[in-house]
């Protein structure tokens, strides 16, 4: 149970609240996680924020050390502690680098939970977080209305007017950049398939899968969801879209709002209870679903087992296709493509070769290696909005690694797609940013004589 | 990101900030400082007064001069991967972090040298010249993160130093800021053998007590035409170590010859880069030969023969580059992997005559039993550099002290068979007292006299490397206090 507001005035309620030294709330950072850390420093160079600052408190080792120091009573949970903990991109590169398998990302999320309880967000950041995290993402109908509005915005000519007028100048820089690369908004697949229990496989049914459409994904990138369904059904999968599914909660958990995270987790676990496989095409969401059990370590432990079971069913679309086999497309797509490893796919789920193999299976595709392909692009949820300076610098070094002569950058996460599209625009590049599965779908479509559609104007 | 305005009344902090130009190049708040209270050696901790990030040699010089003029203790820090506590600010030092001086300044393939700033990471050098067929030989296991400046200070070694030598064999020139702020160049154009004293040799391995290195000229080598790696499993440590001796006496100079014992194998197999070593073997040997392709097969055959003669359970060659790389990743992450089987570890660094390995390992086994702590062994077998890793849990009262004593006893065991107390990790804080196992008072004083020439005020990295003559017991006491303070 979380410490409720009325308890706050009573002074330290430590004993009843399962406190750990200066962590006053339950669900505190897990001692077992930092006990694995030997302070060896092998994670330093993997960390984008250490690379930029050179400062230990902005490194994985430093962050683990500080999180541990609060438990040891050497530090308080205050704004100084908050800075390095919230400057983390949650990119998990350190998890890959660490020889002792320290779950730095998990510790950071748990520490953020404590910080948010000790210091609720105020001011405009608080307002933004309330509007988006609580008010929007968990509510499908509101998201749909937003989708309709955005479609109206683009189609009615309003977009043109706004872009021309000075109005755009009063928006925060990041939103301006976001507006500039906004994909053409299509109706969401959840609306589209509202009345169908199962979308049948083309040909013989080999497997049955359930599909997590994602919240923002389904509004901003419903065409990728369409592609995912096409690719799944073409390869013998009956696809169901449980209607009571909701936002995965990753953004909430990254922001320290673990209560909402738990609420959403429970809803999804129930929504997918009948499924054997849960297919996800957004790396960030997939990673979150696989880690639901972490949320129930101390709070509502009766959900822990269910969450563990649920996580075994979750699979990224590229891995699923790769492991169950997929039809090699016959049409050629003559493109030079480079692949960006989304953090939550490569570091978070260990999926690296599968998407590359899918791309290589498309005739005509020429793969060009990207240096540091598994370096974070800086999107990291709402990090862009909360830490614009660091996010900008991370994006810049990412774009430096995108080979000059490629036509497409492929990846498996919508958050990265938005960020990379911003990068392409900002640095005057001309690559098309695509989802791996989309490219496969286009190849199938071409084979069937349907023209592939461009998602970025 | 970093704080933009200086929010302190401390005049020294303000002045230091002025030297480095802006407030984002200095840390002075409690939280940030706490991240610098130790390096890779975590037994002792102390918060620094401030951490400054100079961008060039002149700034380093000005910082040093300021500290010297104002009697502020100070020390240099690279990546903080040191394992003997060399970068721990026991005296509330101002830490001069060199990580923002991380440029590769020059590569001269013709003369086979490269010039780097001290914060340049070891592995980056090889990565940036490998496409041209060159590499930098010293390869400490921490090479993906540690700095070349730190390598110079510790005279770092690595798995491949058996054939190619340690850091000191690859340093051609240094620019150094002396403890009074003066800047000196040693062997400016990378020409060795200048007449007079070998100051390069003296500075290399001086553990940051004689000056701060601000520029380094290193030798680079042509990548070997070909390499092959062999893995050999032994049921008895004696057979393994006998095989090591046989290989060397057969006239083969492997590029690397590494050994891990059963407990070490348990750790690496439980950690991030397992390769499937059987858990029930007593020792695994990793043997690498390199050179011109023609000679490799013959050497490999000889090695296979030797292993078979020594009752090897299984021996095989890496089938491809991927497998070779995975064996090395498994070995090179060996220290960190201890985290997977123990909350804390203390790594020791003794050197012994190769032939004494079985004897020393037996003694270490005894020490382990006496102390009740598990000890894993990772061994640069080729050059007799033994790393006993004492596993402990600092949360259990008294266990840290026990680990320190056990570690010290391991070093005594090395010294007893005619070995010494550090091969590559340095003395730092950790092995100050153990210096007495190999030097008497006069010998120690002779060395501190040299330090005095460079560092007369002893403000730079004080209290490292040497025990105070004749005051062993007191030092132990001070060290204990340092732990309780933290
Ligand atoms: C997992 C692991 C494996 C390791 N494996 C090896 C190994 O195989 N071989 C080996 O030799 N070591 C090894 N080490 C130890 C360590 O990495 C080396 O000692 C390395 O050289 C330290 O470099 P650093 O940049 O981290 O220096 P730091 O730890 O920051 O500093 C070490 C010492 O050097 C001084 N120093 C740093 N920079 C400068 C400078 N520019 N001028 C003057 N003094 C300076 C500091 O004051 C301090 O005394 C390992 C460490 C770890 C954690
Ligand atoms: S997180 Fe892992 S890699 Fe980083 S210091 Fe701790 S043990 Fe080493
Ligand atoms: S998650 Fe990414 S940003 Fe955060 S500490 Fe790890 S490597 Fe650094």
């Amino acid at each position: 149970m979380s410490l409720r507001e009325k308890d706050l005035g009573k002074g330290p309620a430590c004993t009843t609240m399962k406190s750990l030294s200066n962590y006053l709330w339950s669900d505190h950072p897990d001692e077992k996680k930092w006990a694995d850390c030997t302070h060896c420093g092998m994670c330093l160079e993997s960390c984008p924020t250490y690379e930029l600052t050179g400062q230990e408190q902005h490194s994985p080792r430093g962050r683990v050390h500080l999180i541990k120091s609060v438990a040891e009573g050497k530090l308080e949970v205050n704004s100084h502690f908050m800075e390095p903990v919230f400057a983390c991109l949650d990119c998990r590169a350190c998890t890959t680098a660490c020889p002792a398998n320290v779950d730095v990302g998990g510790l950071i999320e748990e520490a953020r939970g404590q910080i948010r309880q000790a210091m609720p967000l105020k001011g405009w950041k608080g307002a933004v977080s309330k509007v988006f995290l609580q008010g929007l993402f968990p509510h499908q109908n509101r998201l749909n209305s937003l989708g309709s509005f955005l479609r109206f915005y683009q189609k009615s000519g309003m977009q043109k007017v706004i872009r021309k007028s000075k109005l755009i100048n009063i928006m925060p820089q990041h939103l301006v950049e976001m507006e500039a690369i906004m994909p053409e908004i299509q109706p969401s697949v959840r609306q589209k398939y509202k009345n169908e229990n199962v979308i049948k496989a083309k040909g013989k049914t080999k497997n049955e899968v359930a599909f997590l459409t994602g919240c923002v994904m389904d509004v901003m990138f419903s065409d990728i969801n369409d592609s995912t369904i096409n690719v799944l059904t073409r390869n013998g999968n009956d696809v169901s879209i449980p209607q009571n599914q909701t936002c995965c909660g990753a953004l909430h958990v990254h922001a320290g709002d673990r209560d909402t995270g738990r609420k959403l987790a429970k809803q999804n676990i129930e929504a997918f209870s009948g499924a054997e496989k849960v297919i996800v095409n957004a790396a960030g969401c997939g990673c979150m679903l696989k880690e639901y059990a972490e949320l129930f370590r101390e709070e509502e432990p009766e959900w822990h087992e269910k969450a563990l079971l649920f996580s075994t069913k979750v699979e990224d679309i590229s891995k699923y296709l790769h492991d169950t086999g997929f039809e090699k497309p016959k049409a050629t797509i003559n493109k030079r493509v480079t692949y960006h490893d989304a953090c939550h796919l490569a570091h978070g789920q260990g999926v690296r070769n599968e998407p590359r193999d899918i791309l290589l299976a498309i005739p005509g595709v020429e793969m060009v290696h990207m240096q540091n392909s598994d370096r974070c692009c800086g999107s990291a949820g709402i990090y862009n909005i909360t830490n614009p300076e660091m996010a900008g610098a991370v994006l810049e070094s990412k774009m430096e690694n995108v080979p000059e002569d490629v036509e497409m950058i492929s990846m498996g996460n919508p958050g990265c797609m938005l960020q990379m599209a911003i990068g392409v625009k900002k640095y005057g590049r001309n690559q098309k940013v695509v989802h791996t599965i989309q490219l496969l779908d286009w190849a199938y479509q071409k084979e069937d004589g349907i023209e592939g559609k461009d998602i970025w104007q | 990101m970093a704080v933009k305005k200086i929010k302190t009344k401390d005049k020294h902090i303000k002045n230091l900030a002025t030297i480095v130009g802006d407030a984002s190049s200095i840390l002075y708040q409690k939280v940030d400082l706490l991240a610098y209270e130790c390096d890779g050696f975590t037994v002792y901790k102390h918060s620094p007064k401030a951490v400054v990030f100079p961008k060039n040699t002149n700034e380093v010089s000005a910082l040093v001069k300021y500290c010297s003029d104002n009697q502020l203790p100070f020390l240099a820090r690279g990546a903080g991967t040191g394992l003997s506590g060399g970068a721990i600010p026991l005296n509330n030092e101002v830490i001069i972090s060199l990580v923002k001086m991380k440029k590769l300044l020059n590569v001269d393939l013709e003369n086979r040298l490269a010039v780097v700033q001290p914060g340049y990471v070891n592995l980056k050098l090889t990565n940036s010249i490998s496409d041209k067929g060159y590499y930098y030989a010293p390869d400490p296991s921490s090479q993906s993160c540690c700095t070349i400046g730190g390598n110079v200070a510790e005279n770092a070694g690595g798995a491949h130093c058996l054939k190619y030598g340690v850091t000191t064999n690859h340093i051609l020139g240094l620019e150094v800021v002396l403890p009074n702020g003066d800047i000196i160049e040693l062997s400016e154009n990378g020409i060795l053998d200048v007449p007079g004293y070998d100051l390069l040799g003296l500075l290399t391995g001086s553990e940051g007590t004689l000056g701060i290195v601000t520029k380094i000229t290193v030798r680079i080598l042509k990548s070997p035409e070909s390499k092959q790696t062999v893995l050999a499993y032994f049921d008895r440590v004696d057979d393994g170590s006998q095989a090591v001796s046989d290989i060397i006496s057969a006239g083969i100079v492997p590029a690397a010859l590494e050994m891990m014992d059963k407990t070490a194998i348990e750790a690496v197999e439980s950690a991030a880069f397992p390769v499937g070593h059987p858990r029930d073997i007593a020792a695994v040997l990793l043997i690498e030969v390199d050179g011109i392709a023609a000679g490799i097969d013959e050497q490999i055959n000889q090695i296979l023969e030797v292993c078979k003669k020594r009752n090897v359970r299984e021996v095989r060659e890496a089938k491809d580059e991927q497998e070779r790389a995975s064996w090395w990743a498994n070995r090179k992450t060996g220290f960190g992997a201890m985290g997977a089987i123990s909350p804390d570890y203390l790594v020791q660094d003794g050197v012994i005559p190769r032939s004494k390995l079985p004897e020393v390992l037996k003694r270490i086994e005894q020490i382990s039993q006496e102390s009740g702590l598990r000890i894993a062994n990772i061994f640069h077998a080729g050059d007799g550099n033994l790393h006993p890793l004492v596993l402990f849990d600092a949360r259990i009262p008294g266990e840290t002290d026990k680990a320190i004593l056990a570690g010290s006893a391991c070093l005594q065991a090395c010294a007893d068979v005619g070995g010494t107390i550090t091969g590559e990790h340095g003395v730092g804080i950790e092995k100050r007292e153990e210096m007495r196992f190999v030097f008497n008072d006069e010998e120690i004083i002779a060395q501190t006299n040299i330090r005095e020439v460079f560092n007369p005020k002893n403000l730079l990295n004080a209290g490292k490397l040497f025990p105070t003559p004749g005051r062993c017991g007191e030092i132990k006491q001070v060290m204990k206090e340092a732990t309780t303070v933290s």
Side-chain angles (χ1 to χ4, degrees):
Chain A
M1 192 180 70
S2 317
L3 188 59
R4 264 161 304 188
E5 267 169 39
K6 63 180 172 54
D7 298 324
L8 268 170
K10 289 188 195 159
C14 313
T15 40
T16 53
M17 289 303 151
K18 270 177 102 178
S19 72
L20 183 64
S21 188
N22 286 340
Y23 290 120
L24 300 183
W25 286 265
S26 64
D27 194 15
H28 44 64
D30 182 2
E31 224 175 325
K32 285 198 214 86
K33 292 195 179 103
W34 72 67
D36 290 345
C37 174
T38 58
H39 216 79
C40 67
M42 296 293 271
C43 51
L44 292 174
E45 286 294 311
S46 70
C47 175
T49 59
Y50 178 77
E51 182 186 34
L52 289 170
T53 61
Q55 298 181 348
E56 191 72 37
Q57 80 280 18
H58 286 306
S59 77
R61 174 172 72 173
R63 291 181 173 122
V64 171
H65 191 67
L66 296 179
I67 289 170
K68 177 178 165 190
S69 296
V70 173
E72 289 171 348
K74 291 199 234 167
L75 285 180
E76 311 270 315
V77 176
N78 59 21
S79 61
H80 289 313
F81 174 63
M82 181 176 103
E83 202 179 285
V85 173
F86 270 86
C88 165
L89 292 152
D90 212 345
C91 73
R92 311 289 174 95
C94 46
T95 310
T96 301
C98 173
N101 280 329
V102 174
D103 180 7
V104 183
L107 278 173
I108 299 265
E109 282 170 0
E110 288 153 10
R112 286 179 180 181
Q114 299 284 313
I115 293 171
R116 272 297 149 261
Q117 301 201 60
M119 297 180 291
L121 276 178
K122 293 198 199 83
W124 71 270
K125 282 185 182 171
V128 167
S129 143
K130 249 212 165 75
V131 168
F132 285 96
L133 293 187
Q134 268 113 40
L136 187 60
F137 295 156
H139 305 282
Q140 192 58 33
N141 51 349
R142 293 185 202 165
L143 279 168
N144 286 338
S145 316
L146 174 73
S148 311
F149 168 74
L150 289 174
R151 221 161 33 245
F152 171 76
Y153 174 79
Q154 290 177 329
K155 295 262 153 75
S156 67
M158 193 165 144
Q159 185 170 37
K160 285 204 184 94
V161 175
I162 299 253
R163 281 183 179 177
K164 273 201 191 126
S165 75
K166 297 235 161 53
L167 221 57
I168 203 143
N169 296 338
I170 61 166
M171 281 159 60
Q173 182 56 30
H174 179 70
L175 288 183
V176 175
E177 290 173 350
M178 196 82 133
E179 196 275 349
I181 55 93
M182 198 158 62
E184 198 184 313
I185 306 292
Q186 311 283 343
S188 76
V189 300
R190 273 176 70 186
Q191 274 175 306
K192 201 165 137 188
Y193 294 107
K194 204 161 52 192
N195 300 318
E196 290 181 50
N197 278 338
V198 175
I199 310 159
K200 292 299 277 181
K202 300 197 182 93
K204 204 168 145 262
T205 300
K206 286 191 277 179
N207 295 304
E208 289 169 14
V209 300
F211 176 37
L212 179 103
T213 58
C215 53
V216 190
M217 182 91 184
D218 207 22
V219 172
M220 299 275 264
F221 293 100
S222 64
D223 48 346
I224 298 177
N225 280 350
D226 262 326
S227 287
T228 306
I229 293 170
N230 290 345
V231 166
L232 281 170
T233 50
R234 186 179 187 109
N235 286 293
N237 296 285
D238 282 354
V239 180
S240 63
I241 304 178
Q243 283 294 323
N244 46 344
Q245 62 174 286
T246 183
C247 166
C248 69
L251 293 179
H252 308 81
V253 173
H254 292 180
D257 180 2
R258 295 171 75 81
D259 279 341
T260 310
R262 270 184 286 273
K263 211 173 95 199
L264 298 174
K266 285 188 285 186
Q267 188 174 332
N268 277 328
I269 292 172
E270 302 248 278
F272 287 95
S273 59
E276 283 299 316
K277 265 279 168 241
V278 180
I279 300 297
V280 189
N281 61 9
C285 306
C287 200
M288 182 71 241
L289 300 190
K290 286 188 175 175
E291 290 171 1
Y292 272 170
E294 287 291 315
L295 294 168
F296 301 105
R297 231 174 9 93
E298 291 193 344
E299 298 279 319
E300 304 176 73
E302 66 279 12
W303 281 84
H304 191 258
E305 271 301 303
K306 283 189 235 175
L308 278 180
L309 178 69
F310 172 73
S311 63
T312 60
K313 302 179 184 172
V314 177
E315 195 133 79
D316 181 73
I317 175 75
S318 62
K319 179 157 169 45
Y320 177 75
L321 280 179
H322 184 268
D323 292 357
T324 54
F326 63 98
E327 180 192 324
K328 196 170 152 61
K330 289 172 200 73
T332 36
I333 296 207
N334 287 313
K335 294 281 179 204
R336 285 170 67 77
V337 181
T338 193
Y339 179 75
H340 157 68
D341 284 283
C343 297
H344 289 96
L345 207 49
H347 303 302
Q349 303 180 56
V351 176
R352 291 167 183 269
N353 293 332
E354 294 84 348
R356 289 182 166 88
D357 286 347
I358 291 177
L359 291 170
L360 282 169
I362 304 172
V365 164
E366 185 191 339
M367 289 290 281
V368 183
H369 176 69
M370 183 195 291
Q371 285 289 335
N372 297 321
S373 61
D374 62 356
R375 200 68 158 179
C376 182
C377 63
S379 115
I382 54 167
Y383 191 86
N384 264 322
I385 302 169
T386 50
N387 298 53
E389 217 179 308
M390 199 88 94
V394 173
L395 176 61
E396 188 177 348
S397 60
K398 182 83 219 180
M399 292 313 293
E400 282 166 9
N401 284 317
V402 174
E404 278 300 332
D405 52 350
V406 297
E407 295 155 277
M408 288 183 171
I409 316 172
S410 171
M411 62 205 74
N413 194 38
C416 302
M417 290 178 70
L418 282 175
Q419 178 78 345
M420 295 295 277
I422 292 176
V424 166
K425 181 125 188 153
K426 193 166 166 186
Y427 295 98
R429 308 289 296 267
N430 56 4
Q431 284 82 18
K432 189 196 287 286
V433 178
V434 297
H435 192 289
T436 311
I437 292 310
Q438 223 168 5
L439 212 55
L440 180 62
D441 184 38
W442 290 343
Y444 287 147
Q445 290 190 24
K446 196 167 169 198
E447 185 181 327
D448 296 348
I450 311 165
E451 260 312 295
K453 217 166 14 118
D454 290 0
I455 49 160
W456 308 102
Q457 305 102 322
Chain B
M1 270 178 100
V3 233
K4 289 292 163 309
K5 267 207 204 103
I6 293 282
K7 295 179 204 144
T8 173
K9 293 210 172 73
D10 188 321
K11 76 165 195 276
H12 291 315
I13 304 259
K14 285 186 190 156
N15 293 337
L16 290 167
T18 314
I19 295 173
V20 283
D22 66 296
S24 62
S25 296
I26 184 164
L27 301 175
Y28 54 90
Q29 263 155 354
K30 186 178 163 193
V31 172
D32 302 338
L33 296 182
L34 206 64
Y36 287 85
E37 67 176 354
C38 61
D39 54 16
F41 179 65
T42 56
V43 174
Y44 303 105
K45 299 188 181 87
H46 200 286
S47 199
K49 177 176 179 65
V51 187
V52 279
F53 298 87
K55 292 173 286 297
N56 52 51
T57 305
N58 287 338
E59 284 183 9
V60 176
S61 161
L63 289 166
V64 168
K65 187 158 181 359
Y66 183 86
C67 289
S68 174
D69 290 349
N70 292 280
Q71 292 296 328
L72 294 175
F74 62 101
L75 61 80
R77 177 172 164 127
T81 66
L83 291 171
S84 51
I88 300 178
L90 271 190
N91 310 297
N92 191 228
E93 274 90 348
V94 171
I95 291 183
I96 300 180
S97 166
L98 280 315
V99 295
K100 292 221 169 126
M101 292 173 65
K102 55 172 177 183
K103 288 200 199 88
L104 172 58
L105 297 172
N106 183 31
V107 177
D108 179 351
L109 294 180
E110 209 178 338
N111 290 305
R112 301 228 174 145
L113 57 86
V115 185
V116 299
Q117 288 189 314
Y120 193 63
V121 168
N122 175 304
L123 187 61
K124 286 196 174 166
L125 181 51
T126 291
N127 286 346
S128 65
I129 53 178
S130 61
D131 57 333
K132 301 183 191 82
Y134 290 84
Y135 77 115
Y136 176 58
D139 63 337
S141 303
S142 51
Q143 71 184 135
S144 61
C145 294
C146 65
T147 67
I148 295 187
N151 294 165
V152 172
E154 299 288 0
N155 189 16
H160 292 78
C161 292
L162 173 59
K163 181 166 176 183
Y164 295 100
V166 292
T167 301
T168 193
N169 305 108
H170 300 267
I171 301 300
L172 300 176
L174 293 177
E175 177 188 77
V176 183
V177 172
L178 294 177
N180 63 1
D182 288 353
I183 303 168
I184 58 164
E185 290 259 7
L186 299 176
S187 185
E188 244 166 286
N189 305 313
I191 299 168
L192 285 179
D193 294 334
V194 283
Y197 297 117
D198 176 14
L199 294 178
L200 272 184
L202 178 61
L203 259 296
T204 309
S206 61
E207 303 196 13
T209 62
L210 301 184
I212 297 183
V213 175
T214 47
K215 195 169 77 181
I216 305 140
T217 307
V218 299
R219 188 198 305 280
I220 53 179
L221 302 181
K222 198 111 183 85
S223 314
E225 189 182 299
S226 170
K227 327 180 171 167
Q228 182 55 290
T229 308
V230 170
L231 197 66
Y233 297 126
F234 292 89
D235 290 308
R236 284 160 26 110
V237 175
D238 292 23
D239 284 333
S241 35
Q242 212 48 64
V244 172
S245 295
D246 292 356
I247 290 170
I248 308 269
S249 40
I252 304 169
V253 185
L257 216 179
E258 302 283 299
M259 186 191 273
M260 289 190 284
D261 75 353
K262 197 169 173 176
T263 312
I265 291 167
E266 184 192 333
V268 292
E269 289 299 310
S270 316
F273 303 95
V275 292
H277 295 316
R279 304 280 184 118
D280 63 334
I281 47 157
V284 56
L285 281 187
L286 193 59
I287 310 155
E288 184 160 289
V289 289
D290 66 8
I292 30 176
I296 299 268
D297 284 348
E298 196 188 324
Q299 293 187 39
I300 291 287
N301 284 336
Q302 263 179 297
I303 290 170
L304 297 180
E305 275 313 303
V306 165
C307 291
K308 281 178 195 147
K309 249 189 238 147
R310 292 294 170 191
N311 310 315
V312 69
R313 183 197 293 186
E314 188 192 338
V315 58
R316 63 196 163 94
E317 296 171 61
K319 59 177 183 292
D320 51 26
E321 181 51 33
Q322 204 182 342
E323 185 168 62
R324 197 186 80 85
S326 72
W327 290 352
W328 276 113
N330 174 277
R331 160 60 191 93
K332 289 207 169 186
T333 50
F335 293 173
M338 295 302 148
I341 61 167
S342 168
D344 298 277
Y345 74 89
L346 195 144
V347 52
Q348 279 303 357
D349 177 34
V351 182
I352 51 172
R354 261 191 312 272
S355 57
K356 303 282 186 191
L357 180 66
E359 182 183 335
V360 173
L361 285 184
K362 263 182 218 118
R363 175 73 194 113
I364 290 177
E365 175 57 37
Q366 256 173 14
I367 295 168
S368 163
Q369 276 166 12
E370 284 158 21
S371 63
L373 299 174
R374 297 214 290 161
I375 303 181
N377 288 288
I378 295 185
F379 189 38
H380 300 306
D383 39 23
N385 188 184
L386 180 65
H387 295 309
L389 295 123
V390 184
L391 309 182
F392 67 104
D393 185 345
R395 291 167 302 182
I396 301 173
E399 208 161 292
T400 305
D401 286 344
K402 252 199 240 170
I404 295 172
L405 289 177
S408 182
C410 291
L411 291 185
Q412 183 74 65
C414 295
D416 286 347
V417 297
T420 182
I421 59 162
T422 172
E424 52 184 24
H425 297 165
V427 175
I429 303 173
E430 186 200 19
K431 296 185 271 288
R432 291 183 298 194
E433 278 195 78
E434 284 75 7
M435 284 290 263
R436 296 187 177 285
F437 297 167
V438 283
F439 296 114
N440 62 28
D441 268 6
E442 288 81 69
E443 288 162 336
I444 288 169
I445 292 171
Q447 296 185 73
T448 49
N449 285 347
I450 297 177
R451 180 183 67 198
E452 227 146 87
V453 175
F454 288 83
N455 187 7
K457 295 187 186 173
N458 201 13
L459 289 171
L460 174 60
N461 219 0
K464 310 281 166 70
L465 194 51
F466 300 109
T468 316
R471 291 173 53 212
C472 255
E474 280 175 50
I475 290 172
K476 191 103 197 168
Q477 197 49 41
V478 173
M479 284 174 33
K480 284 249 172 65
E481 276 158 23
T483 352
T484 39
V485 167
S486 63

